Each structure stands twice: as structure tokens, then as C-alpha cells.
Amino acid sequence: MNSELKVFFARARPAIDAALDALLPSENASPQRIHQAMRYSTLDGGKRIRPCLCVAAFAAYKKDWKPVLPIASAIELIHSYSLIHDDLPAMDDDDVRRGKPSCHKQFDEATAILAGDALLTLAFEALSKPKEFPGDRLLRVVAVLSAAAGTPGGMVAGQVMDLETEGKQVSGDQLSAIHRLKTGALIGAAVWIGAYLGGASEPDLANVKNYCDRIGLAFQVIDDILDATDGRNRDEGKATYPFLYGLEKSRGIARQLMADARQALAPLGERSKLLLAFCDYLENRKD
């Protein structure tokens, strides 16, 4: 990871974790089991990529980035909910998440479903509370984040398409659409929301959106490459870039997406340094 980005993430992650801890109900609050499951699946694990990117985009426009922490944390709550549901037997059927038993294995299936539901609704409760931003701006954030998390143009739509194409031959356009929706939409929304709340101009926001479209897809392409080369076969039976294009062409696609992302940020000048550094991180990502 670029040293400047590494230093920034090292500062942002503990702040995000503290904000998440404050947002989540205490594990002793009744009903305890659901709150324990919510905290188990959200805290003590994860890279916090989405909230860190939100904070980094905000920091491009505002020196004090602490006001955006509740918003960034809400995005992470949505991500955590999606992972709980993704791991369920009816979905990807994964027993391990972030090096420990998945929520439904640690607790039970019903608790996992309800924990995911509760995290999603808590996210939007968190979005309603910050006093540092005008109400009309928060409403736009809610609209953007809802669209990125839902359907037809967000994460839920991508998850449905992913399930429907499992074990089937897909085209390059179909695969791109799945990845842009399932993974890219929420990553892109995190960056855009950070820049928007930081006070980015409309031209800057248009350039940031172009950047988001590229890095969101690149993140999943690189994820596919890592899954295909680490010997774990997590994506067996699923549509992936290496399966469709092979490893070398997939790496080339990721490099081109990174080049396009960098070009999109060029008009932002010095403001773009952390977001540009994220491109370097993606290209050198090992896990």
C-alpha cells in the first residue's frame, strides 16, 4: 500500500471502529443474541475499505474528516449485512468469514438473517442523525446509498444475477454487469458520498463518479484473480474474470481500469492523491 495511504488508513480505521462500536447496540442489551450477532459480524475484522474510502474522499475537501465518520460507518454496516446474508446456505453457503465462523455458523440461520436485517436498518438510522450536514444533503446521500445497496441498479440486483448465472456460461457484458452491481456499486457510492459531503463541485463529482465506476469493477476483477490463484476455490462454479478471460487477460483488464480511473481523477489535481494511491493499492493487492 502506498505509504501515505497506509498512514491515512491507519488513522481512519480505529476511528471507524470506534464509531461502529458506538452505533451498535451493546451485546448486553435485550434481546442479547441478536446484538451479539451484529457485533460479532461487524467488529474485530475486515479491512474497512469502503468507509476508509469515504473518509479519504471527504478529506480531499475538508481537513477535519471526523464529521463524516457516522456516514462512513453506516456504509460499513450495509457491507456487513450483505456479508452475513451472502454467507447463508441459500446464497454462497460459506462457513468462514474474516477468519472465523460465519454468523449463521456461530449463532444460527434465523439469527443471522435477522442480524443482517438489523444492520441494514441501523445504517439508515445512523444516516438520519448527523447534525453537521444540511438535511437536503443527507437526503441525497440516503438516495444514492439506497440505490447502490438495492435494485435494479445496486448490490442486491448484482447478487441476484450472480445466483441466477451460477454454473452457466455468461458473456463478458453479463459478468461486468454482475461485478459492477454486486461489488462496484457500494464501493463507488462510498467514494462519491465522501466527496459530495466534503463539498466537491458538480464537475468534480462527475469525475469522481467516473473514477468510482472503474475502481468498483477493478476491485472485483482483482478479487477474482486472487481467488483463482490462492488455491481455495471460493468461486468454484461462479462466473469470474479468470474463468472467462484467463489470468493474463484479466490482469490486463484490471490495469486498464486503473489507468482509466487515474485519468478520471486528473482534473482534481492535488485533491486526488489518496484516491490515486488506492489505485496503487489495488494493483499490488495480495489479499
Side-chain angles (χ1 to χ4, degrees), residues 24 27 35-46 48 80 83-84 87 93-107 232:
L24 288 161
E27 62 181 17
H35 298 148
Q36 290 166 0
M38 291 165 69
R39 296 179 71 86
Y40 174 86
S41 297
T42 305
L43 303 175
D44 303 322
R48 308 294 189 226
S80 294
L83 297 181
I84 293 174
D87 291 338
D93 195 15
D94 282 330
D95 292 345
V96 178
R97 171 65 64 180
R98 294 171 172 171
K100 60 185 183 182
S102 301
C103 188
H104 70 277
K105 298 300 290 185
Q106 182 70 15
F107 295 89
R232 298 183 192 177

Side-chain angles (χ1 to χ4, degrees), residues 113-226:
I113 292 169
L114 291 170
D117 293 345
L119 287 171
L120 177 60
T121 51
L122 179 60
F124 288 97
E125 179 184 346
L127 289 172
S128 72
K129 291 182 175 180
K131 306 297 184 189
E132 295 86 352
F133 306 106
D136 60 335
R137 285 197 165 251
L138 288 178
L139 280 174
R140 190 172 179 187
V141 166
V142 168
V144 168
L145 192 53
S146 299
T151 186
M155 180 176 64
V156 170
Q159 289 171 323
V160 171
M161 293 168 64
D162 194 30
L163 289 170
E164 288 178 343
T165 57
E166 192 166 338
K168 299 177 183 177
Q169 183 66 39
V170 299
S171 68
D173 287 344
Q174 286 176 308
L175 183 57
S176 173
I178 291 169
H179 282 359
R180 285 183 187 279
L181 295 173
K182 184 177 179 181
T183 302
L186 193 59
I187 291 174
V191 178
W192 189 92
I193 287 169
Y196 172 67
L197 290 177
S201 66
E202 288 298 328
D204 275 9
L205 288 172
N207 289 319
V208 166
K209 186 179 186 308
N210 287 333
Y211 166 84
C212 293
D213 289 344
R214 273 65 176 185
I215 64 156
L217 178 56
F219 188 93
Q220 188 59 51
V221 174
I222 292 165
D223 220 36
D224 284 356
I225 293 168
L226 292 173

